[in-house]
Amino acid sequence: MQTISPFLWFDDQAEQAAQRYVEIFPNSRILSVARYGEGAPQPAGTAMSVSFVLDGTEVQALNGGPMYSFTEAFSFVVSVPDQAECDRVWDALTADGGEPGRCGWLKDRWGLSWQIIPDRLIELIRDPDPDRAHRAVQAMLEMRKIDIAAIEAAAAGS
């Protein structure tokens, strides 16, 4: 049983965001939605809170109004096995108003930050040869979405 989970504050789109996230990630689902009633800070029937699972991690989301917004100080790190999955997740999260960032980071359309990190990138930047690792890091620092082939070539000195 998970005892600690992320809690995300949305203005008024927690339910839409949760629905989109569970479409993108396997082993994900909406667990429950609590709705505002009459006289609440949001229109009656609007989702107040949403509990959902993202690939095994339970997440809570609240429609709390515009007082707070996301910053890069919090992000989800998504480990992906290969370039195809990196591309799929990146494209899905940047669609409809998302913004690419540097070094595998992006913001989705709600402003939530994500890091899409291929497993091979971690192997390359932890290479026991410090020169190879340095070249891999330098290549990554120039990228937005991670390009595994380009980082492998840089690590090899090509």
Side-chain angles (χ1 to χ4, degrees), residues 13-115:
Q13 294 189 319
E15 187 171 19
Q16 295 89 335
Q19 288 170 344
R20 180 68 179 132
Y21 300 153
V22 302
E23 290 172 359
I24 295 171
F25 297 102
N27 307 310
S28 300
R29 67 191 182 285
I30 303 286
L31 297 173
S32 64
V33 179
R35 300 199 178 276
Y36 283 107
E38 294 297 327
Q42 298 272 1
T46 301
M48 177 175 59
S49 64
V50 182
S51 295
F52 58 104
V53 173
L54 286 183
D55 199 14
T57 299
E58 190 169 335
V59 179
Q60 309 299 318
L62 171 74
N63 279 330
M67 290 79 76
Y68 304 109
S69 57
F70 297 118
T71 74
E72 290 83 352
F74 177 86
S75 63
F76 281 108
V77 178
V78 181
S79 299
V80 293
D82 54 34
Q83 189 69 55
E85 186 66 356
C86 179
D87 294 345
R88 184 191 73 77
V89 172
W90 180 277
D91 292 346
L93 288 170
T94 56
D96 301 324
E99 300 175 20
R102 294 185 62 211
C103 306
W105 288 62
L106 63 87
K107 285 184 184 179
D108 67 24
R109 65 188 267 194
W110 296 282
L112 183 60
S113 292
W114 299 78
Q115 299 175 55

Side-chain angles (χ1 to χ4, degrees), residues 101-105 115-118 121-122 124-125 133-147 150-152 154-155:
R102 294 185 62 211
C103 306
W105 288 62
Q115 299 175 55
I116 313 306
I117 307 299
L121 171 64
I122 302 305
L124 290 165
I125 64 175
H134 177 75
R135 290 189 299 267
V137 168
Q138 291 306 116
M140 177 200 65
L141 291 173
E142 299 298 319
M143 296 179 177
R144 289 191 176 272
K145 178 173 60 174
I146 300 301
D147 179 337
I151 293 176
E152 286 178 333

